[in-house]
mmCIF file of all heavy atoms in Angstrom:
data_model
loop_
_atom_site.group_PDB
_atom_site.id
_atom_site.type_symbol
_atom_site.label_atom_id
_atom_site.label_comp_id
_atom_site.label_asym_id
_atom_site.label_seq_id
_atom_site.Cartn_x
_atom_site.Cartn_y
_atom_site.Cartn_z
ATOM 1 N N MET A 1437 -6.204 6.065 -38.802
ATOM 2 C CA MET A 1437 -6.206 7.019 -37.704
ATOM 3 C C MET A 1437 -6.114 6.282 -36.379
ATOM 4 O O MET A 1437 -6.739 5.275 -36.152
ATOM 5 C CB MET A 1437 -7.499 7.796 -37.745
ATOM 6 C CG MET A 1437 -7.238 9.230 -37.527
ATOM 7 S SD MET A 1437 -8.594 10.402 -37.502
ATOM 8 C CE MET A 1437 -10.000 9.675 -38.223
ATOM 9 N N ALA A 1438 -5.288 6.791 -35.530
ATOM 10 C CA ALA A 1438 -5.122 6.174 -34.203
ATOM 11 C C ALA A 1438 -6.215 6.646 -33.291
ATOM 12 O O ALA A 1438 -6.591 7.784 -33.228
ATOM 13 C CB ALA A 1438 -3.804 6.595 -33.613
ATOM 14 N N SER A 1439 -6.838 5.689 -32.562
ATOM 15 C CA SER A 1439 -7.881 6.025 -31.679
ATOM 16 C C SER A 1439 -7.325 6.238 -30.269
ATOM 17 O O SER A 1439 -6.317 5.660 -29.877
ATOM 18 C CB SER A 1439 -8.954 4.923 -31.622
ATOM 19 O OG SER A 1439 -8.360 3.749 -31.126
ATOM 20 N N LYS A 1440 -7.996 7.181 -29.541
ATOM 21 C CA LYS A 1440 -7.525 7.454 -28.174
ATOM 22 C C LYS A 1440 -8.053 6.351 -27.237
ATOM 23 O O LYS A 1440 -9.166 5.897 -27.375
ATOM 24 C CB LYS A 1440 -8.051 8.802 -27.735
ATOM 25 C CG LYS A 1440 -7.469 9.972 -28.392
ATOM 26 C CD LYS A 1440 -8.000 11.253 -27.819
ATOM 27 C CE LYS A 1440 -7.371 12.470 -28.450
ATOM 28 N NZ LYS A 1440 -7.854 13.691 -27.909
ATOM 29 N N ARG A 1441 -7.194 6.010 -26.323
ATOM 30 C CA ARG A 1441 -7.647 5.003 -25.316
ATOM 31 C C ARG A 1441 -8.313 5.769 -24.183
ATOM 32 O O ARG A 1441 -7.731 6.693 -23.618
ATOM 33 C CB ARG A 1441 -6.444 4.216 -24.753
ATOM 34 C CG ARG A 1441 -5.908 3.280 -25.792
ATOM 35 C CD ARG A 1441 -4.749 2.508 -25.209
ATOM 36 N NE ARG A 1441 -5.184 1.819 -23.980
ATOM 37 C CZ ARG A 1441 -4.467 1.006 -23.306
ATOM 38 N NH1 ARG A 1441 -3.229 0.741 -23.693
ATOM 39 N NH2 ARG A 1441 -4.897 0.446 -22.226
ATOM 40 N N ARG A 1442 -9.507 5.366 -23.862
ATOM 41 C CA ARG A 1442 -10.206 5.984 -22.723
ATOM 42 C C ARG A 1442 -10.283 5.020 -21.568
ATOM 43 O O ARG A 1442 -11.277 4.301 -21.446
ATOM 44 C CB ARG A 1442 -11.612 6.399 -23.210
ATOM 45 C CG ARG A 1442 -11.652 7.431 -24.195
ATOM 46 C CD ARG A 1442 -13.024 7.887 -24.512
ATOM 47 N NE ARG A 1442 -13.099 8.867 -25.568
ATOM 48 C CZ ARG A 1442 -14.095 9.568 -25.871
ATOM 49 N NH1 ARG A 1442 -15.191 9.488 -25.199
ATOM 50 N NH2 ARG A 1442 -14.058 10.439 -26.861
ATOM 51 N N SER A 1443 -9.309 5.012 -20.802
ATOM 52 C CA SER A 1443 -9.345 4.125 -19.646
ATOM 53 C C SER A 1443 -9.661 4.969 -18.436
ATOM 54 O O SER A 1443 -9.083 6.031 -18.240
ATOM 55 C CB SER A 1443 -7.997 3.389 -19.409
ATOM 56 O OG SER A 1443 -6.956 4.282 -19.232
ATOM 57 N N GLY A 1444 -10.512 4.506 -17.635
ATOM 58 C CA GLY A 1444 -10.918 5.237 -16.422
ATOM 59 C C GLY A 1444 -10.284 4.658 -15.159
ATOM 60 O O GLY A 1444 -9.221 3.997 -15.218
ATOM 61 N N VAL A 1445 -10.937 4.896 -14.086
ATOM 62 C CA VAL A 1445 -10.457 4.455 -12.798
ATOM 63 C C VAL A 1445 -10.933 3.038 -12.489
ATOM 64 O O VAL A 1445 -10.397 2.377 -11.582
ATOM 65 C CB VAL A 1445 -10.903 5.445 -11.720
ATOM 66 C CG1 VAL A 1445 -10.391 5.076 -10.349
ATOM 67 C CG2 VAL A 1445 -10.416 6.820 -12.107
ATOM 68 N N ALA A 1446 -11.977 2.587 -13.176
ATOM 69 C CA ALA A 1446 -12.615 1.301 -12.860
ATOM 70 C C ALA A 1446 -11.655 0.100 -12.796
ATOM 71 O O ALA A 1446 -11.774 -0.738 -11.876
ATOM 72 C CB ALA A 1446 -13.745 1.018 -13.833
ATOM 73 N N PRO A 1447 -10.719 -0.073 -13.734
ATOM 74 C CA PRO A 1447 -9.830 -1.230 -13.626
ATOM 75 C C PRO A 1447 -8.968 -1.193 -12.332
ATOM 76 O O PRO A 1447 -8.702 -2.230 -11.717
ATOM 77 C CB PRO A 1447 -8.918 -1.134 -14.841
ATOM 78 C CG PRO A 1447 -9.672 -0.265 -15.785
ATOM 79 C CD PRO A 1447 -10.496 0.661 -14.969
ATOM 80 N N TYR A 1448 -8.583 -0.003 -11.894
ATOM 81 C CA TYR A 1448 -7.770 0.110 -10.719
ATOM 82 C C TYR A 1448 -8.604 -0.162 -9.457
ATOM 83 O O TYR A 1448 -8.123 -0.807 -8.525
ATOM 84 C CB TYR A 1448 -7.137 1.512 -10.633
ATOM 85 C CG TYR A 1448 -6.253 1.815 -11.802
ATOM 86 C CD1 TYR A 1448 -6.590 2.721 -12.740
ATOM 87 C CD2 TYR A 1448 -5.054 1.097 -11.955
ATOM 88 C CE1 TYR A 1448 -5.825 2.987 -13.861
ATOM 89 C CE2 TYR A 1448 -4.252 1.398 -13.081
ATOM 90 C CZ TYR A 1448 -4.650 2.319 -14.013
ATOM 91 O OH TYR A 1448 -3.830 2.564 -15.079
ATOM 92 N N VAL A 1449 -9.844 0.302 -9.436
ATOM 93 C CA VAL A 1449 -10.710 0.022 -8.318
ATOM 94 C C VAL A 1449 -11.001 -1.468 -8.230
ATOM 95 O O VAL A 1449 -10.964 -2.058 -7.154
ATOM 96 C CB VAL A 1449 -12.056 0.822 -8.452
ATOM 97 C CG1 VAL A 1449 -13.041 0.368 -7.450
ATOM 98 C CG2 VAL A 1449 -11.801 2.319 -8.383
ATOM 99 N N ALA A 1450 -11.228 -2.096 -9.377
ATOM 100 C CA ALA A 1450 -11.424 -3.533 -9.364
ATOM 101 C C ALA A 1450 -10.207 -4.277 -8.851
ATOM 102 O O ALA A 1450 -10.326 -5.281 -8.103
ATOM 103 C CB ALA A 1450 -11.811 -4.026 -10.787
ATOM 104 N N LEU A 1451 -9.028 -3.859 -9.238
ATOM 105 C CA LEU A 1451 -7.782 -4.499 -8.781
ATOM 106 C C LEU A 1451 -7.644 -4.371 -7.287
ATOM 107 O O LEU A 1451 -7.291 -5.326 -6.590
ATOM 108 C CB LEU A 1451 -6.575 -3.894 -9.479
ATOM 109 C CG LEU A 1451 -5.218 -4.429 -9.089
ATOM 110 C CD1 LEU A 1451 -5.101 -5.911 -9.413
ATOM 111 C CD2 LEU A 1451 -4.117 -3.641 -9.756
ATOM 112 N N VAL A 1452 -7.911 -3.189 -6.714
ATOM 113 C CA VAL A 1452 -7.834 -2.988 -5.334
ATOM 114 C C VAL A 1452 -8.837 -3.875 -4.564
ATOM 115 O O VAL A 1452 -8.525 -4.481 -3.519
ATOM 116 C CB VAL A 1452 -7.995 -1.528 -4.940
ATOM 117 C CG1 VAL A 1452 -8.175 -1.325 -3.456
ATOM 118 C CG2 VAL A 1452 -6.831 -0.678 -5.456
ATOM 119 N N LEU A 1453 -10.064 -3.909 -5.081
ATOM 120 C CA LEU A 1453 -11.080 -4.784 -4.433
ATOM 121 C C LEU A 1453 -10.671 -6.237 -4.482
ATOM 122 O O LEU A 1453 -10.871 -6.979 -3.492
ATOM 123 C CB LEU A 1453 -12.422 -4.615 -5.145
ATOM 124 C CG LEU A 1453 -13.136 -3.280 -4.860
ATOM 125 C CD1 LEU A 1453 -14.415 -3.174 -5.682
ATOM 126 C CD2 LEU A 1453 -13.423 -3.138 -3.393
ATOM 127 N N VAL A 1454 -10.123 -6.731 -5.581
ATOM 128 C CA VAL A 1454 -9.663 -8.122 -5.658
ATOM 129 C C VAL A 1454 -8.551 -8.358 -4.653
ATOM 130 O O VAL A 1454 -8.506 -9.395 -3.971
ATOM 131 C CB VAL A 1454 -9.235 -8.432 -7.125
ATOM 132 C CG1 VAL A 1454 -8.465 -9.771 -7.162
ATOM 133 C CG2 VAL A 1454 -10.477 -8.520 -8.001
ATOM 134 N N LEU A 1455 -7.622 -7.431 -4.557
ATOM 135 C CA LEU A 1455 -6.518 -7.609 -3.571
ATOM 136 C C LEU A 1455 -7.067 -7.626 -2.177
ATOM 137 O O LEU A 1455 -6.585 -8.454 -1.346
ATOM 138 C CB LEU A 1455 -5.517 -6.455 -3.739
ATOM 139 C CG LEU A 1455 -4.609 -6.531 -4.986
ATOM 140 C CD1 LEU A 1455 -3.745 -5.297 -5.043
ATOM 141 C CD2 LEU A 1455 -3.770 -7.794 -4.911
ATOM 142 N N VAL A 1456 -7.991 -6.785 -1.789
ATOM 143 C CA VAL A 1456 -8.519 -6.717 -0.476
ATOM 144 C C VAL A 1456 -9.280 -7.995 -0.147
ATOM 145 O O VAL A 1456 -9.226 -8.521 0.932
ATOM 146 C CB VAL A 1456 -9.421 -5.454 -0.280
ATOM 147 C CG1 VAL A 1456 -10.235 -5.516 0.994
ATOM 148 C CG2 VAL A 1456 -8.577 -4.220 -0.307
ATOM 149 N N ILE A 1457 -10.041 -8.511 -1.123
ATOM 150 C CA ILE A 1457 -10.862 -9.700 -0.886
ATOM 151 C C ILE A 1457 -10.007 -10.952 -0.784
ATOM 152 O O ILE A 1457 -10.197 -11.786 0.110
ATOM 153 C CB ILE A 1457 -11.921 -9.817 -1.999
ATOM 154 C CG1 ILE A 1457 -12.940 -8.706 -1.881
ATOM 155 C CG2 ILE A 1457 -12.603 -11.192 -1.923
ATOM 156 C CD1 ILE A 1457 -13.904 -8.621 -3.034
ATOM 157 N N PHE A 1458 -9.065 -11.090 -1.697
ATOM 158 C CA PHE A 1458 -8.315 -12.407 -1.782
ATOM 159 C C PHE A 1458 -6.971 -12.454 -1.133
ATOM 160 O O PHE A 1458 -6.413 -13.526 -0.996
ATOM 161 C CB PHE A 1458 -8.201 -12.784 -3.236
ATOM 162 C CG PHE A 1458 -9.490 -13.115 -3.887
ATOM 163 C CD1 PHE A 1458 -10.030 -12.309 -4.870
ATOM 164 C CD2 PHE A 1458 -10.235 -14.221 -3.488
ATOM 165 C CE1 PHE A 1458 -11.214 -12.618 -5.458
ATOM 166 C CE2 PHE A 1458 -11.458 -14.535 -4.046
ATOM 167 C CZ PHE A 1458 -11.968 -13.749 -5.030
ATOM 168 N N VAL A 1459 -6.438 -11.354 -0.689
ATOM 169 C CA VAL A 1459 -5.081 -11.330 -0.088
ATOM 170 C C VAL A 1459 -5.173 -10.871 1.358
ATOM 171 O O VAL A 1459 -5.415 -9.736 1.641
ATOM 172 C CB VAL A 1459 -4.074 -10.390 -0.880
ATOM 173 C CG1 VAL A 1459 -2.736 -10.469 -0.227
ATOM 174 C CG2 VAL A 1459 -4.052 -10.815 -2.336
ATOM 175 N N PRO A 1460 -5.065 -11.806 2.310
ATOM 176 C CA PRO A 1460 -5.238 -11.510 3.746
ATOM 177 C C PRO A 1460 -4.284 -10.427 4.205
ATOM 178 O O PRO A 1460 -4.648 -9.599 5.060
ATOM 179 C CB PRO A 1460 -5.045 -12.810 4.426
ATOM 180 C CG PRO A 1460 -5.210 -13.852 3.403
ATOM 181 C CD PRO A 1460 -4.810 -13.245 2.105
ATOM 182 N N GLY A 1461 -3.044 -10.406 3.743
ATOM 183 C CA GLY A 1461 -2.077 -9.413 4.224
ATOM 184 C C GLY A 1461 -2.515 -8.004 3.833
ATOM 185 O O GLY A 1461 -2.426 -7.062 4.659
ATOM 186 N N VAL A 1462 -3.051 -7.821 2.614
ATOM 187 C CA VAL A 1462 -3.509 -6.508 2.199
ATOM 188 C C VAL A 1462 -4.699 -6.110 2.994
ATOM 189 O O VAL A 1462 -4.885 -4.940 3.414
ATOM 190 C CB VAL A 1462 -3.838 -6.514 0.692
ATOM 191 C CG1 VAL A 1462 -4.467 -5.250 0.231
ATOM 192 C CG2 VAL A 1462 -2.611 -6.791 -0.117
ATOM 193 N N ARG A 1463 -5.563 -7.040 3.311
ATOM 194 C CA ARG A 1463 -6.775 -6.804 4.101
ATOM 195 C C ARG A 1463 -6.444 -6.359 5.504
ATOM 196 O O ARG A 1463 -7.030 -5.363 6.015
ATOM 197 C CB ARG A 1463 -7.637 -8.083 4.196
ATOM 198 C CG ARG A 1463 -8.966 -7.870 4.737
ATOM 199 C CD ARG A 1463 -9.783 -9.164 4.847
ATOM 200 N NE ARG A 1463 -9.549 -9.987 3.643
ATOM 201 C CZ ARG A 1463 -9.498 -11.312 3.715
ATOM 202 N NH1 ARG A 1463 -9.602 -11.946 4.845
ATOM 203 N NH2 ARG A 1463 -9.325 -12.008 2.605
ATOM 204 N N GLU A 1464 -5.410 -6.940 6.100
ATOM 205 C CA GLU A 1464 -5.022 -6.524 7.454
ATOM 206 C C GLU A 1464 -4.396 -5.138 7.482
ATOM 207 O O GLU A 1464 -4.669 -4.359 8.341
ATOM 208 C CB GLU A 1464 -4.022 -7.566 8.024
ATOM 209 C CG GLU A 1464 -4.662 -8.903 8.330
ATOM 210 C CD GLU A 1464 -3.622 -9.915 8.749
ATOM 211 O OE1 GLU A 1464 -2.472 -9.517 8.962
ATOM 212 O OE2 GLU A 1464 -4.012 -11.110 8.878
ATOM 213 N N VAL A 1465 -3.520 -4.860 6.486
ATOM 214 C CA VAL A 1465 -2.897 -3.572 6.408
ATOM 215 C C VAL A 1465 -3.949 -2.480 6.243
ATOM 216 O O VAL A 1465 -3.935 -1.399 6.843
ATOM 217 C CB VAL A 1465 -1.848 -3.522 5.283
ATOM 218 C CG1 VAL A 1465 -1.414 -2.092 4.994
ATOM 219 C CG2 VAL A 1465 -0.681 -4.419 5.645
ATOM 220 N N LEU A 1466 -4.860 -2.764 5.350
ATOM 221 C CA LEU A 1466 -5.928 -1.771 5.042
ATOM 222 C C LEU A 1466 -6.821 -1.559 6.278
ATOM 223 O O LEU A 1466 -7.263 -0.409 6.592
ATOM 224 C CB LEU A 1466 -6.785 -2.226 3.871
ATOM 225 C CG LEU A 1466 -7.737 -1.210 3.274
ATOM 226 C CD1 LEU A 1466 -6.973 -0.034 2.756
ATOM 227 C CD2 LEU A 1466 -8.586 -1.842 2.171
ATOM 228 N N ALA A 1467 -7.105 -2.610 7.020
ATOM 229 C CA ALA A 1467 -7.939 -2.485 8.250
ATOM 230 C C ALA A 1467 -7.165 -1.688 9.293
ATOM 231 O O ALA A 1467 -7.776 -0.865 9.961
ATOM 232 C CB ALA A 1467 -8.232 -3.892 8.780
ATOM 233 N N ASP A 1468 -5.835 -1.916 9.371
ATOM 234 C CA ASP A 1468 -5.073 -1.102 10.335
ATOM 235 C C ASP A 1468 -5.020 0.338 9.938
ATOM 236 O O ASP A 1468 -5.014 1.211 10.860
ATOM 237 C CB ASP A 1468 -3.630 -1.636 10.373
ATOM 238 C CG ASP A 1468 -3.537 -3.015 11.067
ATOM 239 O OD1 ASP A 1468 -4.482 -3.352 11.797
ATOM 240 O OD2 ASP A 1468 -2.493 -3.688 10.897
ATOM 241 N N LEU A 1469 -5.035 0.668 8.682
ATOM 242 C CA LEU A 1469 -4.978 2.097 8.264
ATOM 243 C C LEU A 1469 -6.368 2.750 8.418
ATOM 244 O O LEU A 1469 -6.426 3.937 8.723
ATOM 245 C CB LEU A 1469 -4.544 2.163 6.795
ATOM 246 C CG LEU A 1469 -3.108 1.811 6.492
ATOM 247 C CD1 LEU A 1469 -2.884 1.779 4.993
ATOM 248 C CD2 LEU A 1469 -2.197 2.772 7.180
ATOM 249 N N LEU A 1470 -7.417 2.007 8.189
ATOM 250 C CA LEU A 1470 -8.759 2.617 8.236
ATOM 251 C C LEU A 1470 -9.435 2.656 9.589
ATOM 252 O O LEU A 1470 -10.337 3.435 9.789
ATOM 253 C CB LEU A 1470 -9.651 1.866 7.255
ATOM 254 C CG LEU A 1470 -9.357 2.098 5.760
ATOM 255 C CD1 LEU A 1470 -10.317 1.261 4.908
ATOM 256 C CD2 LEU A 1470 -9.403 3.547 5.358
ATOM 257 N N THR A 1471 -8.984 1.823 10.511
ATOM 258 C CA THR A 1471 -9.567 1.812 11.828
ATOM 259 C C THR A 1471 -9.548 3.169 12.574
ATOM 260 O O THR A 1471 -10.610 3.589 13.065
ATOM 261 C CB THR A 1471 -8.961 0.707 12.692
ATOM 262 O OG1 THR A 1471 -9.077 -0.518 12.029
ATOM 263 C CG2 THR A 1471 -9.576 0.656 14.047
ATOM 264 N N PRO A 1472 -8.468 3.866 12.639
ATOM 265 C CA PRO A 1472 -8.489 5.177 13.297
ATOM 266 C C PRO A 1472 -9.401 6.191 12.626
ATOM 267 O O PRO A 1472 -10.106 6.994 13.237
ATOM 268 C CB PRO A 1472 -7.057 5.714 13.185
ATOM 269 C CG PRO A 1472 -6.235 4.467 12.985
ATOM 270 C CD PRO A 1472 -7.086 3.482 12.256
ATOM 271 N N LEU A 1473 -9.458 6.153 11.284
ATOM 272 C CA LEU A 1473 -10.353 7.041 10.534
ATOM 273 C C LEU A 1473 -11.791 6.708 10.812
ATOM 274 O O LEU A 1473 -12.615 7.623 11.086
ATOM 275 C CB LEU A 1473 -10.091 6.965 9.032
ATOM 276 C CG LEU A 1473 -10.993 7.760 8.151
ATOM 277 C CD1 LEU A 1473 -10.793 9.237 8.375
ATOM 278 C CD2 LEU A 1473 -10.748 7.436 6.687
ATOM 279 N N LEU A 1474 -12.142 5.469 10.871
ATOM 280 C CA LEU A 1474 -13.551 5.093 11.141
ATOM 281 C C LEU A 1474 -13.905 5.400 12.590
ATOM 282 O O LEU A 1474 -15.083 5.834 12.854
ATOM 283 C CB LEU A 1474 -13.735 3.592 10.841
ATOM 284 C CG LEU A 1474 -13.618 3.195 9.425
ATOM 285 C CD1 LEU A 1474 -13.701 1.683 9.258
ATOM 286 C CD2 LEU A 1474 -14.632 3.886 8.550
ATOM 287 N N ASP A 1475 -12.984 5.277 13.489
ATOM 288 C CA ASP A 1475 -13.229 5.661 14.903
ATOM 289 C C ASP A 1475 -13.488 7.154 14.990
ATOM 290 O O ASP A 1475 -14.382 7.612 15.724
ATOM 291 C CB ASP A 1475 -12.088 5.248 15.786
ATOM 292 C CG ASP A 1475 -12.000 3.735 16.026
ATOM 293 O OD1 ASP A 1475 -13.058 3.100 15.799
ATOM 294 O OD2 ASP A 1475 -10.933 3.301 16.386
ATOM 295 N N LEU A 1476 -12.697 7.933 14.287
ATOM 296 C CA LEU A 1476 -12.884 9.412 14.298
ATOM 297 C C LEU A 1476 -14.266 9.759 13.712
ATOM 298 O O LEU A 1476 -14.960 10.635 14.267
ATOM 299 C CB LEU A 1476 -11.758 10.047 13.505
ATOM 300 C CG LEU A 1476 -11.888 11.604 13.355
ATOM 301 C CD1 LEU A 1476 -11.689 12.247 14.708
ATOM 302 C CD2 LEU A 1476 -10.789 12.051 12.375
ATOM 303 N N LEU A 1477 -14.629 9.151 12.599
ATOM 304 C CA LEU A 1477 -15.945 9.420 12.002
ATOM 305 C C LEU A 1477 -17.068 9.001 12.965
ATOM 306 O O LEU A 1477 -18.066 9.703 13.034
ATOM 307 C CB LEU A 1477 -16.072 8.697 10.661
ATOM 308 C CG LEU A 1477 -15.217 9.237 9.534
ATOM 309 C CD1 LEU A 1477 -15.309 8.347 8.302
ATOM 310 C CD2 LEU A 1477 -15.542 10.693 9.206
ATOM 311 N N ARG A 1478 -16.900 7.936 13.649
ATOM 312 C CA ARG A 1478 -17.930 7.518 14.574
ATOM 313 C C ARG A 1478 -18.031 8.506 15.722
ATOM 314 O O ARG A 1478 -19.156 8.802 16.232
ATOM 315 C CB ARG A 1478 -17.562 6.089 15.137
ATOM 316 C CG ARG A 1478 -18.652 5.494 15.939
ATOM 317 C CD ARG A 1478 -18.310 4.066 16.400
ATOM 318 N NE ARG A 1478 -17.969 3.221 15.223
ATOM 319 C CZ ARG A 1478 -16.872 2.514 15.185
ATOM 320 N NH1 ARG A 1478 -15.995 2.497 16.184
ATOM 321 N NH2 ARG A 1478 -16.639 1.757 14.150
ATOM 322 N N ASP A 1479 -16.943 9.066 16.195
ATOM 323 C CA ASP A 1479 -16.982 10.024 17.286
ATOM 324 C C ASP A 1479 -17.581 11.350 16.793
ATOM 325 O O ASP A 1479 -18.214 12.058 17.641
ATOM 326 C CB ASP A 1479 -15.572 10.311 17.821
ATOM 327 C CG ASP A 1479 -14.983 9.152 18.565
ATOM 328 O OD1 ASP A 1479 -15.815 8.261 18.988
ATOM 329 O OD2 ASP A 1479 -13.761 9.064 18.721
ATOM 330 N N LEU A 1480 -17.433 11.728 15.574
ATOM 331 C CA LEU A 1480 -17.963 12.987 15.044
ATOM 332 C C LEU A 1480 -19.349 12.906 14.512
ATOM 333 O O LEU A 1480 -19.912 13.914 14.098
ATOM 334 C CB LEU A 1480 -17.002 13.502 13.927
ATOM 335 C CG LEU A 1480 -15.596 13.866 14.349
ATOM 336 C CD1 LEU A 1480 -14.789 14.258 13.145
ATOM 337 C CD2 LEU A 1480 -15.609 15.006 15.378
ATOM 338 N N ASN A 1481 -19.954 11.732 14.562
ATOM 339 C CA ASN A 1481 -21.303 11.563 14.023
ATOM 340 C C ASN A 1481 -22.344 12.273 14.835
ATOM 341 O O ASN A 1481 -22.518 11.969 16.061
ATOM 342 C CB ASN A 1481 -21.635 10.028 14.009
ATOM 343 C CG ASN A 1481 -22.935 9.702 13.305
ATOM 344 O OD1 ASN A 1481 -23.630 10.627 12.862
ATOM 345 N ND2 ASN A 1481 -23.283 8.444 13.255
ATOM 346 N N PRO A 1482 -23.057 13.247 14.319
ATOM 347 C CA PRO A 1482 -24.056 14.024 15.090
ATOM 348 C C PRO A 1482 -25.336 13.219 15.361
ATOM 349 O O PRO A 1482 -26.092 13.600 16.224
ATOM 350 C CB PRO A 1482 -24.364 15.238 14.149
ATOM 351 C CG PRO A 1482 -24.090 14.742 12.822
ATOM 352 C CD PRO A 1482 -22.936 13.778 12.965
ATOM 353 N N PHE A 1483 -25.537 12.127 14.679
ATOM 354 C CA PHE A 1483 -26.761 11.307 14.851
ATOM 355 C C PHE A 1483 -26.560 10.187 15.830
ATOM 356 O O PHE A 1483 -27.447 9.356 16.007
ATOM 357 C CB PHE A 1483 -27.212 10.811 13.502
ATOM 358 C CG PHE A 1483 -27.538 11.860 12.523
ATOM 359 C CD1 PHE A 1483 -26.721 12.007 11.415
ATOM 360 C CD2 PHE A 1483 -28.579 12.702 12.673
ATOM 361 C CE1 PHE A 1483 -26.955 13.026 10.489
ATOM 362 C CE2 PHE A 1483 -28.841 13.699 11.782
ATOM 363 C CZ PHE A 1483 -28.063 13.838 10.688
ATOM 364 N N ARG A 1484 -25.372 10.157 16.458
ATOM 365 C CA ARG A 1484 -25.121 9.101 17.411
ATOM 366 C C ARG A 1484 -25.969 9.239 18.645
ATOM 367 O O ARG A 1484 -26.178 10.368 19.175
ATOM 368 C CB ARG A 1484 -23.650 9.140 17.790
ATOM 369 C CG ARG A 1484 -23.169 7.908 18.588
ATOM 370 C CD ARG A 1484 -21.719 7.959 18.831
ATOM 371 N NE ARG A 1484 -21.485 9.067 19.776
ATOM 372 C CZ ARG A 1484 -20.247 9.341 20.297
ATOM 373 N NH1 ARG A 1484 -19.262 8.617 19.904
ATOM 374 N NH2 ARG A 1484 -20.144 10.330 21.099
ATOM 375 N N GLY A 1485 -26.474 8.158 19.187
ATOM 376 C CA GLY A 1485 -27.395 8.206 20.326
ATOM 377 C C GLY A 1485 -26.773 8.283 21.642
ATOM 378 O O GLY A 1485 -25.904 8.628 22.187
#
């Protein structure tokens, strides 16, 4: 009987983390993409002093 493969998202998340940690180009692109989002979240934070 053939067994079903149950692969989740974990291998893909691990691959992305490895790329972000060890490849400077990917890290810079990801930082450029996330900076505006993080600034927006910081501006919308109700607990900001």
Side-chain angles (χ1 to χ4, degrees):
M1437 223 181 342
S1439 64
K1440 290 184 179 180
R1441 289 182 55 176
R1442 294 186 184 193
S1443 63
V1445 182
Y1448 301 109
V1449 172
L1451 178 63
V1452 169
L1453 287 177
V1454 167
L1455 286 174
V1456 168
I1457 291 171
F1458 292 113
V1459 181
V1462 174
R1463 191 181 319 143
E1464 291 175 8
V1465 168
L1466 193 61
D1468 289 342
L1469 291 174
L1470 290 179
T1471 300
L1473 177 64
L1474 293 176
D1475 288 341
L1476 178 65
L1477 290 175
R1478 190 177 303 128
D1479 291 341
L1480 295 177
N1481 186 0
F1483 301 111
R1484 192 175 67 174

